[in-house]
């Protein structure tokens, strides 16, 4: 990303009258990433968009249209409810199991649209009791452990899994819709433990065994109707469509925070930035009560010749412009006026912007109000984000 790019983005924000910390999404880069993801995904696999990573209805609508999918994955009940209202045609799979008490408080109107995730026999019994007592018909997806070891039904206790399948087959209030197996460890494991290729083989082998058990327990016709969900932004491109998997989930890769700067995603561009005004610049900043020590540290190159204080700070993000800016190790974090060291040659001044790349999207996208949409020249729109409900 060039100096010219950030100068255009700064000019666009100023022209839009925006002088507050702002989350920006580059719509041109997002469109290019959507096209790249489609090229990288096996044609036989459906795509499911993880809404927590793109938590704004207009953003989701654009992505779902670009990927030609109505499938969402959700992780937070207030957002499930908002997604169901915003996208009445959406098919929503829970990405984590919800406490049965929370599910009991959700409108039965959502039951035809939502797949509830079950990770254990005990939780299945709780949901069965809820359905029987309330007369609700619940769609159930079973979480299976294909190598992450974060819970879910395990092949080491395959009897529990087949018993759950049998119970779901026979319960008139519960309807089995599929399995969900998550495997982000494939791209993150140290190579000393396992290569990505070996971890992928192990995960797919485990999923294949769960598929066999489903066929044996339910019959091939019933098993053929199930969702077999897997994948994530770091692994979706690894599946060729030849296995048990029927769909892959992703979202963060489409805006490419820094945690997704991986070789497998080199075709994608960063498309999300934080822009925040510079409030103050300081020449030869001093440590409080230690002016002499500050001079020594500057001579040793341990303290900067220039620095700035920004509007806000302490985000899960890293500065990306101007080049060489870094959070001050001497002053530490601040959510109010965080200090950043600058190169001695920096011309940054109050009223300019310091730019960051988020490390993740998810919760960070909710911290700035409406998202600014940048088309490479101007701010063309503002996208509201999901809100918490009580």
């Amino acid at each position: 990303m060039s100096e010219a790019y950030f100068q255009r983005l700064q000019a666009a924000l100023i022209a839009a009258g925006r002088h507050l910390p702002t989350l920006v999404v580059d719509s041109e880069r997002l469109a290019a990433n959507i096209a790249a993801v489609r090229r990288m995904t096996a044609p036989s696999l459906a795509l499911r968009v993880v809404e927590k990573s793109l938590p704004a209805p207009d953003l989701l609508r654009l992505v779902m249209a670009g990927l030609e999918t109505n499938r969402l994955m959700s992780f937070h009940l207030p957002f499930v409810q908002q997604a169901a209202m915003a996208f009445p045609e959406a098919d929503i799979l829970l990405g984590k199991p919800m406490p049965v008490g929370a599910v009991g408080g959700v409108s039965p109107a959502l039951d035809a649209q939502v797949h509830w995730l079950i990770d254990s026999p005990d939780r299945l019994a709780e949901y069965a009791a809820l359905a029987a007592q309330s007369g609700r018909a619940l769609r159930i997806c079973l979480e299976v452990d294909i190598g992450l070891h974060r819970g879910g039904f395990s092949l080491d206790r395959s009897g529990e899994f087949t018993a759950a399948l049998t119970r779901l087959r026979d319960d008139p209030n519960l309807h089995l819709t599929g399995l969900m197996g998550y495997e982000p460890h494939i791209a993150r494991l140290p190579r000393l433990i396992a290569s990505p290729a070996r971890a992928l083989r192990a995960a797919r082998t485990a999923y294949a065994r769960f598929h066999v058990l489903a066929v044996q327990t339910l019959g091939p016709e019933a098993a053929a109707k199930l969702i077999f969900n897997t994948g994530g932004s770091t692994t979706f491109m690894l599946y060729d469509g030849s296995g048990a998997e029927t769909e892959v989930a992703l979202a963060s890769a489409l805006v490419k925070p820094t945690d997704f700067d991986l070789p497998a995603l080199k075709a994608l561009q960063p498309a999300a930035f934080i822009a925040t005004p510079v409030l103050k610049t300081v020449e030869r900043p001093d440590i409080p009560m230690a002016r002499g020590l500050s001079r020594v540290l500057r001579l040793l190159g341990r303290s900067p010749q220039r620095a700035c204080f920004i509007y806000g700070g302490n985000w899960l993000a890293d500065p990306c412009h101007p080049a060489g800016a870094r959070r001050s190790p001497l002053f530490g974090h601040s959510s109010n006026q965080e200090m950043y060291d600058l190169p001695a040659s920096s011309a940054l001044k109050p009223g300019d912007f310091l730019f960051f790349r988020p490390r993740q999207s998810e919760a960070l996208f909710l911290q700035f109000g409406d998202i600014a949409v940048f088309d490479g020249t101007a701010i063309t729109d503002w996208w509201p984000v999901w809100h918490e409900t009580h």
Side-chain angles (χ1 to χ4, degrees), residues 285-306:
D286 287 331
I287 301 170
M289 305 299 295
R291 180 164 291 178
L293 175 60
S294 298
R295 285 196 294 270
V296 172
L297 290 174
R298 281 196 294 275
L299 288 171
L300 295 174
R302 301 294 298 276
S303 186
Q305 297 294 324
R306 298 199 76 224

Side-chain angles (χ1 to χ4, degrees), residues 110-181:
L110 270 65
D111 289 341
Q113 200 173 351
V114 173
H115 308 263
W116 302 104
L117 193 68
I118 296 293
D119 62 328
S120 69
D122 289 344
R123 200 181 304 274
L124 180 57
E126 291 175 346
Y127 276 54
L130 169 65
Q133 292 163 9
S134 63
R136 292 169 62 178
L138 300 179
R139 301 198 301 169
I140 300 297
C141 193
L142 296 180
E143 181 178 8
V144 293
D145 182 5
I146 58 171
L148 181 59
H149 306 324
R150 195 175 65 180
F153 289 90
S154 169
L155 288 169
D156 293 337
R157 300 185 301 278
S158 60
E160 291 183 352
F161 175 67
T162 55
L165 294 177
T166 301
R167 180 166 191 170
L168 287 164
R169 181 193 63 195
D170 297 339
D171 193 315
N173 301 308
L174 303 179
H175 176 56
L176 176 68
T177 57
L179 310 183
M180 190 279 281

Side-chain angles (χ1 to χ4, degrees), residues 50-102:
V50 181
E51 63 85 9
K52 71 178 173 64
S53 300
L54 305 172
D58 294 310
L59 174 56
L60 285 169
R61 186 172 291 108
L62 185 67
V63 167
M64 293 165 70
L67 296 179
E68 295 186 351
T69 184
N70 72 328
R71 305 184 189 207
L72 293 175
M73 179 177 283
S74 190
F75 289 77
H76 186 39
L77 279 181
F79 298 167
V80 173
Q81 294 167 309
Q82 291 171 71
M85 290 181 62
F87 307 105
E89 76 289 355
D91 180 83
I92 304 173
L93 171 62
L94 267 294
K96 65 186 178 188
M98 293 289 151
V100 69

